[in-house]
């Protein structure tokens, strides 16, 4: 037989070897993680239940799932051993702030604006701002014929005489 005909089989066997090798590494890491469990550690079971380890035996783990609720699990049923910060964040909703010296963002925007002495000062500072718009009545109508009137024009409004408030 030729080496060329055996090449696909060799590649297939090599790929299978690499896949089983990575699966064994993950399995060994899971066993190490379960062996490092200590009483007081926060854990998540493979079913998604969060609890605190009370006692660790050879093949079983006694966990405290709540006040007066103690459950016995097989060691293999522990999905993850959590850090204290992560367990408190998930179970108790406690956020551990790493940047305690950082600026605090306010809940509303009112504290971001400066407050004046009185409302009269605020209205005195308001001035008309030119936005670059021109009144259509002042512009010459180059494109429109002289006899045709524009129907979509609005009358010019003056300061303070506006009806819409």
């Amino acid at each position: 037989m030729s080496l060329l005909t055996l090449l696909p089989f060799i590649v297939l066997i090599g790929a299978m070897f690499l896949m089983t090798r990575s699966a064994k590494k993950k399995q060994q890491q899971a066993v190490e993680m379960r062996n490092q469990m200590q009483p007081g550690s926060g854990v998540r079971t493979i079913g998604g239940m969060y609890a605190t380890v009370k006692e660790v035996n050879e093949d079983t783990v006694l966990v405290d799932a709540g006040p007066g609720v103690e459950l016995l699990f097989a060691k293999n049923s522990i999905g993850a051993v959590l850090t204290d910060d992560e367990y408190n964040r998930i179970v108790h909703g406690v956020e551990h702030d790493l940047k305690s010296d950082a600026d605090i963002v306010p809940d509303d925007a009112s504290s971001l604006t400066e407050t004046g002495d009185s409302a009269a000062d605020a209205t005195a500072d308001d001035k008309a701002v030119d936005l670059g718009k021109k009144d259509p009545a002042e512009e010459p109508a180059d494109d429109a014929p002289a006899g045709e009137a524009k129907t979509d024009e609005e009358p010019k409004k003056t300061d303070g005489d506006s009806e819409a408030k």
Side-chain angles (χ1 to χ4, degrees), residues 81-145:
V81 177
L82 308 172
T83 63
D84 290 337
D85 290 338
E86 186 177 9
Y87 181 77
N88 288 332
R89 181 183 59 85
I90 293 170
V91 175
H92 304 295
V94 176
E95 287 289 332
H96 179 67
D97 189 16
L98 296 176
K99 299 179 181 179
S100 60
D101 298 335
D103 294 335
I104 298 173
V105 178
D107 290 337
D108 60 347
S110 64
S111 63
L112 298 176
T113 59
E114 295 182 28
T115 58
D117 292 337
S118 67
D121 291 341
T123 57
D125 291 338
D126 292 340
K127 296 180 182 175
V129 178
D130 182 23
L131 299 176
K133 293 184 178 180
K134 296 184 179 180
D135 191 16
E138 294 177 3
E139 292 181 7
D142 348 322
D143 298 338

Side-chain angles (χ1 to χ4, degrees), residues 57-94:
N57 296 322
E58 185 70 27
D59 294 329
T60 60
V61 177
L62 182 67
V63 296
D64 183 18
V69 180
E70 293 180 353
L71 303 169
L72 186 64
F73 281 97
K75 246 186 185 180
N76 294 343
S77 66
I78 303 299
V81 177
L82 308 172
T83 63
D84 290 337
D85 290 338
E86 186 177 9
Y87 181 77
N88 288 332
R89 181 183 59 85
I90 293 170
V91 175
H92 304 295
V94 176

